[in-house]
Amino acid sequence: MSDEMMFGWVDDPRAVESVMQELPFPVFNDVWQPIKDTGKGKVALLYKIIQEVAGGFPMRKQTIGDCVSQGAAYAVDAIKAVDIFLHKQFEEWVAETATEDIYAGSRVQIGGGKINGDGSIGAWIADYITKFGALARQKYGDIDLSTYDGNKARSWGRSGVPKDLIPIAKQHPVQVVSRVDTYEQARDLIANGYSITIASMQGFNNRRDAEGFCRPEGQWAHQMSILAVDDEYKRPGVLVQNSWGVWNGGPKRHDQPDGSFWVDAEVIEKRIFSQGDSWAFSGYEGFKPRKLNTRII
């Protein structure tokens, strides 16, 4: 295993089920109808909307086992950028989403400090950001979140989010999270500007093929984010963004970001969604149809 390959997802179906008991829309299939099939044959590139709104794409490189927060932060970046781009809603873009607080909050405020060592659960971080929100990368008084700090994440992961940050974070919640189970659900969500975190034991090769896809290979206890879908191409799939900096190489499509790779529809559904800890994020109280600007997608 490369030194650059840091993981951190904890596979705990009981913990996931416990969170789902409290969610208003635990299973996306139950609320899919308003946007069902709207992504058929479409291309939607949420990373380009992030680039447009933020003035660049944030490259993350984790240094501890906090992948759950890294994947979730990309997903929060995406829904914030889409909301700003489409409707100028909520706040203007300030900075990319911080990871240290949501990592700590998932482990302590939600998980109760039960995990020894690094790592967290996708459902815990989804639960945390709906209850406590997420912060942009900047300074908050004496607390500096302007630059990623794995040591700070690890320390806070034992003690929890500093109490002074909680009321600030609560001003910026993700409104709804819902578990994603199929490629078609993911396709329709991304096509309407909703982002997705994915967590599983599935690993991938570090070389993209001629079409930008990475071959499933090995095992990773890892969380990442889906930031695009291409259902128009002869080989339907989703674009997965990793949090290891520039860790892979090979050809690209749609000017995709460094560190990303396309995943086949069948692979994402049968090898990742099937593990039950992948989540759609919405800045609204549900998942309503939205039209993304074709100049960006």
Side-chain angles (χ1 to χ4, degrees):
M1 182 180 72
S2 167
D3 290 340
E4 296 182 353
M5 296 172 69
M6 305 293 296
F7 304 112
W9 175 61
V10 176
D11 184 9
D12 189 337
R14 285 189 179 181
V16 173
E17 182 61 31
S18 178
V19 168
M20 292 179 70
Q21 299 286 338
E22 300 181 1
L23 296 178
F25 309 116
V27 179
F28 177 68
N29 187 67
D30 295 340
V31 292
W32 185 11
Q33 192 58 44
I35 64 169
K36 192 169 186 177
D37 295 333
T38 56
K40 271 188 177 180
K42 291 185 179 177
V43 180
L45 311 176
L46 303 190
Y47 58 86
K48 286 200 171 184
I49 296 181
I50 296 174
Q51 289 171 337
E52 177 82 2
V53 171
F57 186 79
M59 284 299 296
R60 293 182 167 91
K61 187 173 182 180
Q62 64 184 102
T63 59
I64 68 164
D66 61 352
C67 66
V68 173
S69 63
Q70 306 286 340
Y74 271 126
V76 174
D77 287 347
I79 59 168
K80 285 169 59 178
V82 169
D83 289 339
I84 291 168
F85 184 78
L86 289 181
H87 307 297
K88 300 294 182 184
Q89 291 190 1
F90 309 115
E91 68 272 18
E92 287 296 317
W93 184 269
V94 174
E96 67 184 75
T97 304
T99 55
E100 295 87 344
D101 57 310
I102 57 178
Y103 175 67
S106 71
R107 288 169 53 93
V108 179
Q109 273 80 4
I110 299 300
K114 297 182 180 71
I115 294 176
N116 294 319
D118 291 348
S120 191
I121 298 167
W124 281 359
I125 210 155
D127 196 23
Y128 178 81
I129 61 174
T130 59
K131 291 177 177 176
F132 293 91
L135 295 167
R137 279 222 172 280
Q138 61 180 9
K139 290 184 178 180
Y140 300 90
D142 294 333
I143 300 174
D144 189 355
L145 288 176
S146 57
T147 304
Y148 168 65
D149 185 339
N151 291 328
K152 182 178 292 179
R154 179 171 284 154
S155 175
W156 289 7
R158 294 190 291 266
S159 61
V161 181
K163 65 181 189 313
D164 291 346
L165 291 180
I166 289 178
I168 304 172
K170 281 188 173 183
Q171 298 173 35
H172 312 282
V174 170
Q175 295 294 329
V176 173
V177 295
S178 192
R179 196 187 70 197
V180 183
D181 296 309
T182 70
Y183 163 75
E184 288 78 12
Q185 291 172 6
R187 173 200 66 196
D188 295 344
L189 283 158
I190 298 294
N192 284 274
Y194 303 107
S195 54
I196 300 170
T197 63
I198 58 171
S200 76
M201 291 299 299
Q202 183 60 56
F204 290 87
N205 187 269
N206 66 358
R207 186 76 184 171
R208 292 181 291 261
D209 65 19
E211 297 169 293
F213 288 75
C214 279
R215 182 179 72 250
E217 176 183 286
Q219 287 193 330
W220 299 349
H222 198 38
Q223 178 155 315
M224 298 176 284
S225 184
I226 295 176
L227 295 182
V229 65
D230 187 346
D231 197 60
E232 177 185 60
Y233 192 57
K234 62 184 178 180
R235 190 177 172 185
V238 297
L239 190 284
V240 172
Q241 182 65 43
N242 205 345
S243 54
W244 296 342
V246 183
W247 69 281
N248 60 350
K252 295 181 177 182
R253 285 192 301 123
H254 299 304
D255 195 26
Q256 69 192 76
D258 288 337
S260 69
F261 56 100
W262 290 89
V263 176
D264 290 291
E266 184 176 15
V267 172
I268 201 74
E269 180 170 322
K270 294 186 176 179
R271 301 198 186 193
I272 293 180
F273 291 153
S274 64
Q275 296 190 42
D277 199 12
S278 295
W279 302 89
F281 289 9
S282 172
Y284 299 92
E285 293 182 357
F287 299 93
K288 65 181 183 180
R290 303 192 295 182
K291 289 187 178 180
L292 301 186
N293 190 315
T294 55
R295 183 172 67 87
I296 296 296
I297 67 169

